[in-house]
């Protein structure tokens, strides 16, 4: 169940604009075993968050051709030790490239710093509070490419970086070319507690590129993205 309200938020300076709709993403406690194997049989009945050009309440950039352009659903569940996320990702044209964290910033010909991951098919999960900032980037898989992913954790009002292991990621491909993915985060790695009394602010950004093997400069006029901002509510 999603309950909507307005918030003001800056997501990516110079890349994703200002006002986004926000919602509560209710994340239930897992009442069954979740096997992180890329198959989503055990996710039946768990609420899904959908990112697609036709979904109302999302901010977007660039020119999408409709639901067939890109379509992604997210589901989440938790237990005392782990946070699980299930993803179904469909795209009419995959554009995948590994972008390591050290290469995440690209300076365009006008001298503007841009996020290189927005130039390829990527999903960003961003958990953020005044003294906490966790980023997880994930690419899809195609043939022998991907999935590629990395994370970064900052804590404290000085935003000092803390060591954090990558989550576990598993994928499977469907006959229609879409893919299923499961991600398992340990709460110790996230440095969060699912029994916290406050909801956890989260931003989801889906970058969609349809131009594989094209230079970043040539892609600039064709960047496309969808963004959702809200709060994870962990439900017993």
């Amino acid at each position: 169940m999603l309950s909507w309200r307005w918030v003001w938020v800056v997501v990516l300076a110079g890349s994703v604009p200002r006002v986004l709709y926000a919602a509560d993403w209710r994340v239930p406690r897992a009442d069954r075993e979740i096997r992180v194997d890329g198959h989503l049989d055990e996710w039946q009945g768990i609420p899904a968050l959908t990112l697609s050009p036709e979904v109302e309440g999302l901010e977007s950039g660039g020119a999408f051709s409709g639901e067939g352009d890109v379509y992604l659903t997210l589901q989440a569940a938790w237990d005392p030790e782990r946070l699980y996320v299930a993803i179904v990702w469909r795209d009419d044209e995959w554009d995948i490239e590994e972008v390591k964290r050290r290469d995440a910033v690209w300076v365009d010909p006008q001298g503007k710093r841009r996020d290189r991951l927005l130039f390829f098919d990527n999903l960003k999960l961003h958990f953020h509070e005044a003294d906490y900032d966790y980023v997880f980037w994930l690419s899809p898989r195609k043939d022998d490419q991907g999935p590629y992913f990395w994370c970064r954790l900052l804590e404290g009002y000085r935003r000092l970086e803390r060591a954090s292991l990558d989550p576990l990621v598993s994928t499977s491909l469907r006959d229609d070319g879409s893919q299923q993915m499961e991600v398992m985060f340990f709460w110790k790695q996230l440095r969060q507690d699912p029994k916290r009394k406050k909801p956890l602010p989260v931003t989801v950004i889906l970058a969609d590129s349809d131009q594989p093997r094209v230079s970043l400069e040539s892609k600039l006029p064709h960047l496309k993205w969808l963004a959702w901002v809200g709060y994870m509510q962990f439900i017993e």
Side-chain angles (χ1 to χ4, degrees), residues 53 63-71 89-97 118-122 139-143 145 176-179 206-214 219 222 224:
F64 287 91
S65 60
E67 182 179 315
D69 202 341
V70 67
Y71 181 90
W89 198 337
R90 186 171 70 238
D91 200 326
D92 61 348
E93 179 72 51
W94 296 111
D95 184 1
I96 301 170
E97 182 169 313
L118 295 175
F119 288 74
F120 303 95
D121 293 333
N122 280 296
S139 86
R141 167 186 163 196
K142 181 182 178 183
D143 300 327
Q145 292 181 284
D176 63 1
S178 64
Q179 52 196 278
L206 176 62
D208 178 41
S209 173
D210 297 328
Q211 296 185 304
R213 298 175 297 280
V214 173
K219 287 184 176 185
H222 308 287
K224 297 181 296 178

Side-chain angles (χ1 to χ4, degrees), residues 4 21 52-58:
W4 294 91
Y21 290 93
S52 174
E54 297 181 352
V55 173
E56 295 183 2
L58 300 179

Side-chain angles (χ1 to χ4, degrees), residues 4 26 33 84 93 118 137 173 181 217:
W4 294 91
R26 296 172 67 84
E33 180 186 3
Y84 305 92
E93 179 72 51
L118 295 175
W137 280 102
L173 302 181
M181 313 180 80
E217 187 173 355

Side-chain angles (χ1 to χ4, degrees), residues 64-136:
F64 287 91
S65 60
E67 182 179 315
D69 202 341
V70 67
Y71 181 90
L72 182 141
T73 63
L74 287 164
Q75 296 169 281
W78 66 276
D79 64 27
E81 295 183 355
R82 294 164 286 261
L83 172 66
Y84 305 92
V85 177
I87 301 162
V88 176
W89 198 337
R90 186 171 70 238
D91 200 326
D92 61 348
E93 179 72 51
W94 296 111
D95 184 1
I96 301 170
E97 182 169 313
E98 182 176 17
V99 179
K100 296 184 181 296
R101 183 181 165 192
R102 64 175 179 267
D103 301 320
V105 176
W106 176 64
V107 180
D108 71 17
Q110 285 70 46
K112 186 175 181 178
R113 293 167 60 87
R114 296 183 177 270
D115 197 329
R116 190 186 298 264
L117 289 109
L118 295 175
F119 288 74
F120 303 95
D121 293 333
N122 280 296
L123 174 67
K124 179 183 183 183
L125 298 180
H126 183 194
F127 305 115
H128 48 87
E129 294 182 297
D131 58 351
Y132 175 84
D133 193 286
Y134 181 91
V135 169
F136 175 65

Side-chain angles (χ1 to χ4, degrees), residues 1 5 22 71 79 108 138 170 175 225:
M1 178 180 179
R5 61 173 174 263
Y71 181 90
D79 64 27
D108 71 17
L138 173 67
S170 184
D175 292 338
W225 50 263

